[in-house]
Amino acid sequence: AQTVTQSQPEMSVQEAETVTLSCTYDTSENNYYLFWYKQPPSRQMILVIRQEAYKQQNATENRFSVNFQKAAKSFSLKISDSQLGDTAMYFCAFLRVDSKLVFGAGTILRVKS
Amino acid sequence: ETGVTQSPTHLIKTRGQQVTLRCSSQSGHNTVSWYQQALGQGPQFIFQYYREEENGRGNFPPRFSGLQFPNYSSELNVNALELDDSALYLCASSLDLAGGPGTDTQYFGPGTRLTVL
């Protein structure tokens, strides 16, 4: 069974600085997709970034980028130039081949001014 | 293009009652997935509907059931409510291409907060 582990329950960062959130996963599949979702206090789950496992190039979306290490089954999220609006719960998720998402337990990120 | 919508926003029920939650998928999407998110935890997959048929189910009892309609909107029904059913229920829609092995990105609605007293 696929599992997703986020080992950092909480993190904080100063505004404008860079922070990295960790995620590891376990799967026997070779082709799969990984996601980072953000859930602010408003509770809407918002897609941050997506990575296809067959692509070696790390995905980037503006201030958000990932470090995808397939052999190590690691998928970390880097947020550059952190903003107050980045304060949220961040979930790492694995998309199974049957289209079901498996989520980690989440990391609470607090951006401080 | 409209996003995923859910109704109601909040709901309070008592133990033993039944509840129906609704979800309208994003325009052009044909697949709806439901997740239960307990406080402080990650979402857990309940089931998925693809073209009006159940397409997989998580570890939830039969009193959790669902429907998908021809316009791809969906309902989640929970019978005989228990206190542990209190949670945020999230609906996500995606465009599942026939034969595509899990390539669809899921977009979430704002959720329904269910409280069971």
Side-chain angles (χ1 to χ4, degrees):
Chain A
Q2 290 87 357
T3 58
V4 177
T5 302
Q6 294 179 249
S7 59
Q8 305 152 314
E10 295 188 30
M11 293 193 72
S12 61
V13 63
Q14 287 296 127
E15 201 173 5
E17 292 188 347
T18 295
V19 64
T20 298
L21 308 184
S22 301
C23 172
T24 58
Y25 59 93
D26 186 26
T27 183
S28 58
E29 297 177 13
N30 189 47
N31 292 322
Y32 49 87
Y33 293 77
L34 294 162
F35 301 86
W36 279 97
Y37 284 92
K38 162 187 175 181
Q39 188 176 41
S42 67
R43 81 191 185 202
Q44 175 99 41
M45 193 76 77
I46 300 165
L47 176 68
V48 174
I49 201 164
R50 158 186 161 132
Q51 174 77 44
E52 293 90 341
Y54 63 86
K55 290 186 177 179
Q56 293 188 349
Q57 186 174 6
N58 290 323
T60 298
E61 285 289 340
N62 300 314
R63 298 183 294 107
F64 299 89
S65 61
V66 299
N67 183 4
F68 173 51
Q69 302 289 329
K70 190 174 182 179
K73 295 181 181 175
S74 170
F75 182 59
S76 61
L77 174 70
K78 186 173 80 171
I79 306 174
S80 304
D81 186 25
S82 296
Q83 300 175 1
L84 294 177
D86 295 333
T87 293
M89 176 79 93
Y90 285 80
F91 289 99
C92 177
F94 174 98
L95 184 63
R96 294 171 11 177
V97 68
D98 59 357
S99 301
K100 316 303 185 286
L101 278 171
V102 178
F103 286 86
T107 297
I108 299 172
L109 176 67
R110 296 187 175 86
V111 180
K112 300 179 179 179
S113 58
Chain B
E1 180 181 286
T2 56
V4 181
T5 60
Q6 292 186 245
S7 63
T9 304
H10 296 92
L11 205 51
I12 300 175
K13 292 285 188 178
T14 56
R15 196 169 48 181
Q17 286 189 311
Q18 178 265 344
V19 68
T20 297
L21 311 181
R22 294 178 176 82
C23 170
S24 292
S25 59
Q26 185 168 313
S27 176
H29 286 183
N30 58 9
T31 302
V32 172
S33 305
W34 286 92
Y35 296 84
Q36 180 195 66
Q37 185 179 17
L39 196 61
Q41 297 182 22
Q44 298 292 318
F45 173 74
I46 302 175
F47 44 56
Q48 182 182 85
Y49 279 85
Y50 170 64
R51 294 188 175 182
E52 302 179 60
E53 297 288 331
E54 187 177 288
N55 183 40
R57 188 180 184 89
N59 189 26
F60 282 81
R63 58 190 186 83
F64 285 77
S65 62
L67 284 173
Q68 188 180 31
F69 301 99
N71 66 354
Y72 302 128
S73 66
S74 177
E75 286 183 355
L76 164 65
N77 299 290
V78 187
N79 294 320
L81 283 166
E82 300 178 0
L83 298 179
D84 285 349
D85 295 334
S86 295
L88 180 67
Y89 288 85
L90 295 167
C91 164
S93 77
S94 54
L95 177 59
D96 202 340
L97 303 175
T103 61
D104 45 324
T105 297
Q106 297 186 13
Y107 296 91
F108 285 81
T112 294
R113 171 72 65 190
L114 172 64
T115 302
V116 182
L117 302 176

Short mmCIF file of all heavy atoms in Angstrom, two decimals, chain A residues 6 9 21 35-49 64 77 79 84-92 103-110, chain B residues 6 35-44 87-91 108-113:
data_model
loop_
_atom_site.label_atom_id
_atom_site.label_comp_id
_atom_site.label_asym_id
_atom_site.label_seq_id
_atom_site.Cartn_x
_atom_site.Cartn_y
_atom_site.Cartn_z
N GLN A 6 4.96 12.97 6.14
CA GLN A 6 5.46 14.33 6.32
C GLN A 6 5.95 14.41 7.75
O GLN A 6 5.17 14.35 8.69
CB GLN A 6 4.35 15.36 6.05
CG GLN A 6 3.89 15.36 4.60
CD GLN A 6 2.78 16.37 4.36
OE1 GLN A 6 1.64 15.98 4.10
NE2 GLN A 6 3.12 17.65 4.42
N PRO A 9 5.59 18.34 11.67
CA PRO A 9 4.20 18.75 11.96
C PRO A 9 4.00 20.26 11.83
O PRO A 9 2.95 20.70 11.39
CB PRO A 9 4.01 18.30 13.41
CG PRO A 9 5.06 17.29 13.66
CD PRO A 9 6.22 17.67 12.78
N LEU A 21 9.69 22.17 2.90
CA LEU A 21 8.85 21.18 3.57
C LEU A 21 9.18 19.80 3.02
O LEU A 21 9.28 19.62 1.80
CB LEU A 21 7.37 21.50 3.33
CG LEU A 21 6.91 22.93 3.64
CD1 LEU A 21 5.41 23.05 3.44
CD2 LEU A 21 7.31 23.34 5.04
N PHE A 35 1.80 15.54 -5.67
CA PHE A 35 1.23 16.89 -5.56
C PHE A 35 1.56 17.49 -4.21
O PHE A 35 1.74 16.79 -3.21
CB PHE A 35 -0.30 16.84 -5.68
CG PHE A 35 -0.81 16.25 -6.96
CD1 PHE A 35 -0.97 14.89 -7.09
CD2 PHE A 35 -1.13 17.07 -8.04
CE1 PHE A 35 -1.45 14.33 -8.27
CE2 PHE A 35 -1.60 16.52 -9.22
CZ PHE A 35 -1.76 15.16 -9.33
N TRP A 36 1.59 18.80 -4.20
CA TRP A 36 1.51 19.56 -2.96
C TRP A 36 0.24 20.39 -3.03
O TRP A 36 0.00 21.10 -4.02
CB TRP A 36 2.71 20.49 -2.78
CG TRP A 36 3.92 19.78 -2.23
CD1 TRP A 36 4.98 19.28 -2.94
CD2 TRP A 36 4.22 19.51 -0.86
NE1 TRP A 36 5.90 18.72 -2.10
CE2 TRP A 36 5.47 18.84 -0.81
CE3 TRP A 36 3.56 19.78 0.34
CZ2 TRP A 36 6.06 18.44 0.38
CZ3 TRP A 36 4.15 19.36 1.52
CH2 TRP A 36 5.37 18.70 1.53
N TYR A 37 -0.56 20.25 -1.96
CA TYR A 37 -1.76 21.06 -1.82
C TYR A 37 -1.58 21.95 -0.59
O TYR A 37 -0.94 21.58 0.39
CB TYR A 37 -2.99 20.19 -1.61
CG TYR A 37 -3.52 19.50 -2.84
CD1 TYR A 37 -3.10 18.21 -3.19
CD2 TYR A 37 -4.47 20.12 -3.65
CE1 TYR A 37 -3.60 17.57 -4.30
CE2 TYR A 37 -4.99 19.48 -4.78
CZ TYR A 37 -4.55 18.21 -5.09
OH TYR A 37 -5.05 17.57 -6.20
N LYS A 38 -2.22 23.11 -0.66
CA LYS A 38 -2.21 24.07 0.44
C LYS A 38 -3.63 24.21 0.96
O LYS A 38 -4.58 24.33 0.18
CB LYS A 38 -1.68 25.41 -0.10
CG LYS A 38 -1.95 26.63 0.72
CD LYS A 38 -1.51 27.87 -0.05
CE LYS A 38 -1.86 29.15 0.69
NZ LYS A 38 -1.46 30.35 -0.08
N GLN A 39 -3.78 24.20 2.29
CA GLN A 39 -5.11 24.37 2.89
C GLN A 39 -5.03 25.49 3.93
O GLN A 39 -4.63 25.27 5.06
CB GLN A 39 -5.60 23.07 3.53
CG GLN A 39 -7.04 23.13 3.99
CD GLN A 39 -7.53 21.80 4.52
OE1 GLN A 39 -6.82 21.09 5.23
NE2 GLN A 39 -8.77 21.42 4.17
N PRO A 40 -5.41 26.70 3.55
CA PRO A 40 -5.41 27.82 4.50
C PRO A 40 -6.55 27.67 5.49
O PRO A 40 -7.36 26.76 5.38
CB PRO A 40 -5.60 29.05 3.59
CG PRO A 40 -6.23 28.52 2.36
CD PRO A 40 -5.80 27.09 2.20
N PRO A 41 -6.62 28.57 6.48
CA PRO A 41 -7.70 28.48 7.46
C PRO A 41 -9.09 28.49 6.85
O PRO A 41 -10.04 27.99 7.45
CB PRO A 41 -7.46 29.72 8.34
CG PRO A 41 -6.00 29.94 8.24
CD PRO A 41 -5.63 29.58 6.83
N SER A 42 -9.22 29.03 5.66
CA SER A 42 -10.52 28.99 4.97
C SER A 42 -10.90 27.57 4.57
O SER A 42 -12.02 27.33 4.12
CB SER A 42 -10.47 29.86 3.71
OG SER A 42 -9.57 29.30 2.77
N ARG A 43 -9.95 26.63 4.70
CA ARG A 43 -10.07 25.17 4.50
C ARG A 43 -10.17 24.72 3.05
O ARG A 43 -10.22 23.53 2.79
CB ARG A 43 -11.22 24.61 5.34
CG ARG A 43 -12.58 24.79 4.73
CD ARG A 43 -13.69 24.48 5.68
NE ARG A 43 -14.97 24.55 5.00
CZ ARG A 43 -16.12 24.74 5.63
NH1 ARG A 43 -16.16 24.86 6.93
NH2 ARG A 43 -17.24 24.80 4.95
N GLN A 44 -10.21 25.64 2.08
CA GLN A 44 -10.21 25.23 0.67
C GLN A 44 -8.86 24.61 0.33
O GLN A 44 -7.82 25.22 0.53
CB GLN A 44 -10.45 26.45 -0.22
CG GLN A 44 -10.34 26.17 -1.70
CD GLN A 44 -11.68 25.97 -2.38
OE1 GLN A 44 -12.63 26.66 -2.10
NE2 GLN A 44 -11.74 25.00 -3.26
N MET A 45 -8.87 23.42 -0.20
CA MET A 45 -7.65 22.71 -0.60
C MET A 45 -7.25 23.23 -1.98
O MET A 45 -7.98 23.06 -2.95
CB MET A 45 -7.93 21.21 -0.65
CG MET A 45 -6.70 20.34 -0.76
SD MET A 45 -5.80 20.18 0.78
CE MET A 45 -6.84 19.02 1.63
N ILE A 46 -6.07 23.84 -2.03
CA ILE A 46 -5.64 24.50 -3.26
C ILE A 46 -4.39 23.80 -3.80
O ILE A 46 -3.43 23.57 -3.07
CB ILE A 46 -5.31 25.98 -2.98
CG1 ILE A 46 -6.54 26.71 -2.44
CG2 ILE A 46 -4.79 26.69 -4.24
CD1 ILE A 46 -6.23 28.05 -1.81
N LEU A 47 -4.40 23.48 -5.09
CA LEU A 47 -3.25 22.85 -5.72
C LEU A 47 -2.10 23.84 -5.80
O LEU A 47 -2.26 24.96 -6.26
CB LEU A 47 -3.61 22.38 -7.12
CG LEU A 47 -2.47 21.77 -7.94
CD1 LEU A 47 -2.03 20.45 -7.33
CD2 LEU A 47 -2.89 21.59 -9.39
N VAL A 48 -0.93 23.41 -5.32
CA VAL A 48 0.26 24.25 -5.37
C VAL A 48 1.14 23.86 -6.54
O VAL A 48 1.54 24.70 -7.35
CB VAL A 48 1.07 24.13 -4.06
CG1 VAL A 48 2.39 24.91 -4.17
CG2 VAL A 48 0.25 24.63 -2.87
N ILE A 49 1.43 22.56 -6.65
CA ILE A 49 2.37 22.11 -7.68
C ILE A 49 2.19 20.62 -7.91
O ILE A 49 1.75 19.89 -7.01
CB ILE A 49 3.81 22.46 -7.26
CG1 ILE A 49 4.76 22.50 -8.45
CG2 ILE A 49 4.31 21.54 -6.16
CD1 ILE A 49 6.08 23.19 -8.14
N PHE A 64 7.26 28.59 -5.92
CA PHE A 64 7.21 27.23 -5.41
C PHE A 64 7.98 26.29 -6.34
O PHE A 64 7.78 26.33 -7.56
CB PHE A 64 5.76 26.76 -5.30
CG PHE A 64 4.92 27.59 -4.36
CD1 PHE A 64 4.26 28.73 -4.83
CD2 PHE A 64 4.79 27.24 -3.04
CE1 PHE A 64 3.49 29.50 -3.96
CE2 PHE A 64 4.02 28.00 -2.17
CZ PHE A 64 3.37 29.13 -2.64
N LEU A 77 9.10 20.40 -0.92
CA LEU A 77 8.57 21.65 -1.48
C LEU A 77 9.38 22.81 -0.94
O LEU A 77 9.52 22.96 0.28
CB LEU A 77 7.10 21.84 -1.10
CG LEU A 77 6.47 23.18 -1.51
CD1 LEU A 77 6.30 23.24 -3.04
CD2 LEU A 77 5.11 23.36 -0.83
N ILE A 79 9.60 26.90 -0.77
CA ILE A 79 8.88 28.16 -0.96
C ILE A 79 9.88 29.30 -0.80
O ILE A 79 10.49 29.46 0.26
CB ILE A 79 7.73 28.32 0.06
CG1 ILE A 79 6.81 27.10 0.01
CG2 ILE A 79 6.94 29.60 -0.23
CD1 ILE A 79 5.73 27.10 1.08
N LEU A 84 3.05 36.34 3.82
CA LEU A 84 2.10 36.06 4.90
C LEU A 84 0.96 35.16 4.41
O LEU A 84 0.45 34.32 5.15
CB LEU A 84 1.54 37.38 5.47
CG LEU A 84 2.55 38.27 6.18
CD1 LEU A 84 1.89 39.57 6.63
CD2 LEU A 84 3.19 37.56 7.37
N GLY A 85 0.58 35.34 3.17
CA GLY A 85 -0.50 34.54 2.59
C GLY A 85 -0.13 33.08 2.37
O GLY A 85 -0.99 32.27 2.04
N ASP A 86 1.14 32.74 2.58
CA ASP A 86 1.55 31.34 2.46
C ASP A 86 1.24 30.56 3.73
O ASP A 86 1.36 29.33 3.74
CB ASP A 86 3.06 31.25 2.17
CG ASP A 86 3.43 31.84 0.82
OD1 ASP A 86 2.57 31.85 -0.09
OD2 ASP A 86 4.59 32.28 0.67
N THR A 87 0.85 31.24 4.78
CA THR A 87 0.48 30.56 6.02
C THR A 87 -0.68 29.62 5.77
O THR A 87 -1.74 30.04 5.30
CB THR A 87 0.11 31.58 7.12
OG1 THR A 87 1.29 32.33 7.48
CG2 THR A 87 -0.46 30.90 8.34
N ALA A 88 -0.47 28.35 6.05
CA ALA A 88 -1.47 27.32 5.74
C ALA A 88 -0.96 25.97 6.20
O ALA A 88 0.19 25.82 6.61
CB ALA A 88 -1.75 27.28 4.25
N MET A 89 -1.82 24.98 6.08
CA MET A 89 -1.42 23.58 6.21
C MET A 89 -1.06 23.10 4.80
O MET A 89 -1.82 23.34 3.85
CB MET A 89 -2.57 22.74 6.77
CG MET A 89 -2.28 21.27 6.85
SD MET A 89 -1.25 20.84 8.27
CE MET A 89 -2.54 20.45 9.47
N TYR A 90 0.08 22.44 4.69
CA TYR A 90 0.53 21.93 3.39
C TYR A 90 0.50 20.40 3.41
O TYR A 90 1.06 19.76 4.31
CB TYR A 90 1.94 22.44 3.07
CG TYR A 90 1.95 23.89 2.67
CD1 TYR A 90 1.89 24.89 3.63
CD2 TYR A 90 1.97 24.26 1.32
CE1 TYR A 90 1.87 26.23 3.27
CE2 TYR A 90 1.95 25.60 0.95
CZ TYR A 90 1.89 26.57 1.93
OH TYR A 90 1.86 27.90 1.56
N PHE A 91 -0.14 19.85 2.39
CA PHE A 91 -0.25 18.40 2.29
C PHE A 91 0.51 17.91 1.05
O PHE A 91 0.33 18.45 -0.04
CB PHE A 91 -1.71 17.97 2.17
CG PHE A 91 -2.51 18.15 3.42
CD1 PHE A 91 -3.32 19.26 3.58
CD2 PHE A 91 -2.44 17.21 4.43
CE1 PHE A 91 -4.07 19.42 4.74
CE2 PHE A 91 -3.18 17.37 5.60
CZ PHE A 91 -3.99 18.49 5.74
N CYS A 92 1.28 16.89 1.26
CA CYS A 92 1.89 16.15 0.17
C CYS A 92 0.95 15.01 -0.18
O CYS A 92 0.36 14.39 0.72
CB CYS A 92 3.24 15.61 0.63
SG CYS A 92 4.13 14.60 -0.54
N PHE A 103 -2.87 11.05 1.01
CA PHE A 103 -2.31 12.26 1.60
C PHE A 103 -1.40 11.95 2.79
O PHE A 103 -1.61 10.96 3.50
CB PHE A 103 -3.43 13.17 2.12
CG PHE A 103 -4.19 13.88 1.04
CD1 PHE A 103 -5.27 13.27 0.42
CD2 PHE A 103 -3.85 15.17 0.66
CE1 PHE A 103 -5.99 13.92 -0.57
CE2 PHE A 103 -4.56 15.84 -0.33
CZ PHE A 103 -5.63 15.21 -0.94
N GLY A 104 -0.45 12.83 3.01
CA GLY A 104 0.30 12.82 4.25
C GLY A 104 -0.50 13.51 5.35
O GLY A 104 -1.61 13.99 5.12
N ALA A 105 0.09 13.56 6.54
CA ALA A 105 -0.61 14.14 7.69
C ALA A 105 -0.58 15.66 7.69
O ALA A 105 -1.32 16.30 8.45
CB ALA A 105 -0.01 13.62 8.98
N GLY A 106 0.27 16.24 6.85
CA GLY A 106 0.30 17.69 6.73
C GLY A 106 1.39 18.35 7.56
O GLY A 106 1.84 17.81 8.57
N THR A 107 1.80 19.53 7.12
CA THR A 107 2.74 20.39 7.84
C THR A 107 2.12 21.77 7.95
O THR A 107 1.74 22.35 6.93
CB THR A 107 4.09 20.50 7.11
OG1 THR A 107 4.71 19.23 7.05
CG2 THR A 107 5.01 21.50 7.82
N ILE A 108 2.00 22.26 9.18
CA ILE A 108 1.50 23.62 9.38
C ILE A 108 2.66 24.58 9.16
O ILE A 108 3.69 24.49 9.83
CB ILE A 108 0.93 23.81 10.79
CG1 ILE A 108 -0.25 22.87 11.01
CG2 ILE A 108 0.50 25.26 11.01
CD1 ILE A 108 -0.74 22.86 12.46
N LEU A 109 2.50 25.50 8.23
CA LEU A 109 3.52 26.52 7.97
C LEU A 109 3.01 27.87 8.44
O LEU A 109 1.92 28.29 8.04
CB LEU A 109 3.88 26.59 6.49
CG LEU A 109 4.86 27.69 6.11
CD1 LEU A 109 6.23 27.42 6.73
CD2 LEU A 109 4.97 27.85 4.60
N ARG A 110 3.79 28.53 9.28
CA ARG A 110 3.46 29.88 9.74
C ARG A 110 4.52 30.85 9.22
O ARG A 110 5.71 30.65 9.47
CB ARG A 110 3.37 29.94 11.26
CG ARG A 110 2.24 29.09 11.83
CD ARG A 110 2.07 29.30 13.33
NE ARG A 110 0.91 28.57 13.85
CZ ARG A 110 0.92 27.32 14.24
NH1 ARG A 110 2.06 26.64 14.19
NH2 ARG A 110 -0.17 26.74 14.70
N GLN B 6 -19.64 23.03 -3.23
CA GLN B 6 -20.24 22.07 -2.31
C GLN B 6 -21.29 22.76 -1.46
O GLN B 6 -21.17 23.94 -1.14
CB GLN B 6 -19.15 21.47 -1.39
CG GLN B 6 -18.16 20.58 -2.09
CD GLN B 6 -17.21 19.91 -1.12
OE1 GLN B 6 -16.01 20.15 -1.14
NE2 GLN B 6 -17.75 19.03 -0.27
N TYR B 35 -13.65 12.79 0.00
CA TYR B 35 -12.66 12.56 1.06
C TYR B 35 -13.23 13.04 2.39
O TYR B 35 -13.97 14.01 2.45
CB TYR B 35 -11.37 13.32 0.77
CG TYR B 35 -10.65 12.87 -0.48
CD1 TYR B 35 -11.00 13.36 -1.73
CD2 TYR B 35 -9.61 11.94 -0.41
CE1 TYR B 35 -10.35 12.93 -2.88
CE2 TYR B 35 -8.95 11.51 -1.56
CZ TYR B 35 -9.33 12.01 -2.78
OH TYR B 35 -8.68 11.60 -3.92
N GLN B 36 -12.83 12.36 3.45
CA GLN B 36 -13.17 12.77 4.80
C GLN B 36 -11.91 13.27 5.49
O GLN B 36 -10.87 12.59 5.47
CB GLN B 36 -13.73 11.59 5.60
CG GLN B 36 -14.13 11.94 7.03
CD GLN B 36 -14.33 10.71 7.89
OE1 GLN B 36 -13.40 9.95 8.17
NE2 GLN B 36 -15.58 10.49 8.32
N GLN B 37 -11.98 14.45 6.06
CA GLN B 37 -10.82 15.02 6.74
C GLN B 37 -11.17 15.30 8.20
O GLN B 37 -11.88 16.27 8.50
CB GLN B 37 -10.33 16.29 6.05
CG GLN B 37 -9.05 16.84 6.65
CD GLN B 37 -8.55 18.10 5.96
OE1 GLN B 37 -9.28 18.77 5.24
NE2 GLN B 37 -7.29 18.43 6.16
N ALA B 38 -10.68 14.47 9.09
CA ALA B 38 -10.85 14.72 10.51
C ALA B 38 -9.95 15.88 10.93
O ALA B 38 -8.95 16.17 10.27
CB ALA B 38 -10.51 13.46 11.30
N LEU B 39 -10.29 16.51 12.02
CA LEU B 39 -9.57 17.70 12.48
C LEU B 39 -8.09 17.39 12.69
O LEU B 39 -7.74 16.44 13.38
CB LEU B 39 -10.20 18.19 13.78
CG LEU B 39 -9.84 19.62 14.20
CD1 LEU B 39 -10.31 20.61 13.15
CD2 LEU B 39 -10.47 19.93 15.55
N GLY B 40 -7.24 18.18 12.05
CA GLY B 40 -5.80 18.03 12.23
C GLY B 40 -5.17 16.89 11.46
O GLY B 40 -3.99 16.58 11.68
N GLN B 41 -5.92 16.26 10.56
CA GLN B 41 -5.40 15.12 9.81
C GLN B 41 -5.50 15.37 8.31
O GLN B 41 -6.16 16.31 7.85
CB GLN B 41 -6.18 13.86 10.18
CG GLN B 41 -6.05 13.47 11.63
CD GLN B 41 -6.80 12.19 11.93
OE1 GLN B 41 -7.07 11.37 11.04
NE2 GLN B 41 -7.13 11.99 13.20
N GLY B 42 -4.85 14.51 7.55
CA GLY B 42 -4.97 14.57 6.10
C GLY B 42 -6.26 13.91 5.64
O GLY B 42 -6.83 13.08 6.34
N PRO B 43 -6.73 14.30 4.47
CA PRO B 43 -7.97 13.69 3.95
C PRO B 43 -7.80 12.19 3.70
O PRO B 43 -6.74 11.74 3.29
CB PRO B 43 -8.18 14.44 2.63
CG PRO B 43 -7.44 15.73 2.79
CD PRO B 43 -6.24 15.38 3.62
N GLN B 44 -8.92 11.48 3.92
CA GLN B 44 -8.96 10.03 3.66
C GLN B 44 -9.97 9.78 2.55
O GLN B 44 -11.10 10.27 2.60
CB GLN B 44 -9.38 9.28 4.92
CG GLN B 44 -8.41 9.46 6.10
CD GLN B 44 -7.08 8.79 5.86
OE1 GLN B 44 -7.01 7.67 5.34
NE2 GLN B 44 -6.00 9.47 6.22
N ALA B 87 -16.52 15.72 10.76
CA ALA B 87 -15.32 15.95 9.96
C ALA B 87 -15.64 16.97 8.87
O ALA B 87 -16.79 17.39 8.70
CB ALA B 87 -14.84 14.65 9.30
N LEU B 88 -14.59 17.34 8.13
CA LEU B 88 -14.75 18.13 6.91
C LEU B 88 -14.82 17.15 5.75
O LEU B 88 -13.95 16.30 5.60
CB LEU B 88 -13.56 19.07 6.74
CG LEU B 88 -13.56 19.97 5.51
CD1 LEU B 88 -14.69 21.00 5.59
CD2 LEU B 88 -12.22 20.67 5.36
N TYR B 89 -15.87 17.25 4.95
CA TYR B 89 -16.02 16.37 3.80
C TYR B 89 -15.68 17.16 2.54
O TYR B 89 -16.31 18.18 2.23
CB TYR B 89 -17.44 15.80 3.75
CG TYR B 89 -17.63 14.77 4.83
CD1 TYR B 89 -17.99 15.16 6.12
CD2 TYR B 89 -17.41 13.42 4.59
CE1 TYR B 89 -18.13 14.23 7.14
CE2 TYR B 89 -17.54 12.49 5.60
CZ TYR B 89 -17.89 12.90 6.87
OH TYR B 89 -18.01 11.97 7.88
N LEU B 90 -14.69 16.66 1.83
CA LEU B 90 -14.19 17.33 0.65
C LEU B 90 -14.56 16.56 -0.61
O LEU B 90 -14.46 15.33 -0.65
CB LEU B 90 -12.66 17.45 0.72
CG LEU B 90 -12.10 18.32 1.84
CD1 LEU B 90 -10.60 18.09 1.99
CD2 LEU B 90 -12.37 19.78 1.57
N CYS B 91 -14.96 17.30 -1.60
CA CYS B 91 -15.25 16.75 -2.90
C CYS B 91 -14.18 17.27 -3.86
O CYS B 91 -13.78 18.44 -3.77
CB CYS B 91 -16.65 17.21 -3.33
SG CYS B 91 -17.03 17.02 -5.07
N PHE B 108 -10.28 20.64 -5.69
CA PHE B 108 -11.16 20.48 -4.55
C PHE B 108 -12.15 21.63 -4.40
O PHE B 108 -11.88 22.77 -4.74
CB PHE B 108 -10.34 20.38 -3.26
CG PHE B 108 -9.67 19.06 -3.09
CD1 PHE B 108 -8.49 18.78 -3.75
CD2 PHE B 108 -10.23 18.08 -2.30
CE1 PHE B 108 -7.87 17.54 -3.61
CE2 PHE B 108 -9.62 16.84 -2.14
CZ PHE B 108 -8.44 16.58 -2.81
N GLY B 109 -13.30 21.27 -3.82
CA GLY B 109 -14.27 22.26 -3.40
C GLY B 109 -13.94 22.76 -2.00
O GLY B 109 -12.99 22.28 -1.38
N PRO B 110 -14.74 23.68 -1.48
CA PRO B 110 -14.47 24.29 -0.18
C PRO B 110 -14.81 23.40 1.00
O PRO B 110 -14.45 23.71 2.13
CB PRO B 110 -15.34 25.55 -0.19
CG PRO B 110 -16.45 25.22 -1.11
CD PRO B 110 -15.87 24.32 -2.17
N GLY B 111 -15.52 22.30 0.76
CA GLY B 111 -15.83 21.37 1.83
C GLY B 111 -17.12 21.66 2.56
O GLY B 111 -17.65 22.78 2.52
N THR B 112 -17.63 20.63 3.21
CA THR B 112 -18.78 20.74 4.11
C THR B 112 -18.34 20.28 5.48
O THR B 112 -17.83 19.16 5.63
CB THR B 112 -19.96 19.86 3.64
OG1 THR B 112 -20.46 20.34 2.40
CG2 THR B 112 -21.07 19.85 4.69
N ARG B 113 -18.52 21.15 6.47
CA ARG B 113 -18.17 20.80 7.85
C ARG B 113 -19.38 20.16 8.49
O ARG B 113 -20.40 20.80 8.68
CB ARG B 113 -17.76 22.04 8.61
CG ARG B 113 -17.59 21.83 10.12
CD ARG B 113 -16.35 21.04 10.45
NE ARG B 113 -15.13 21.73 10.10
CZ ARG B 113 -13.92 21.19 10.13
NH1 ARG B 113 -13.78 19.92 10.47
NH2 ARG B 113 -12.87 21.89 9.80
#
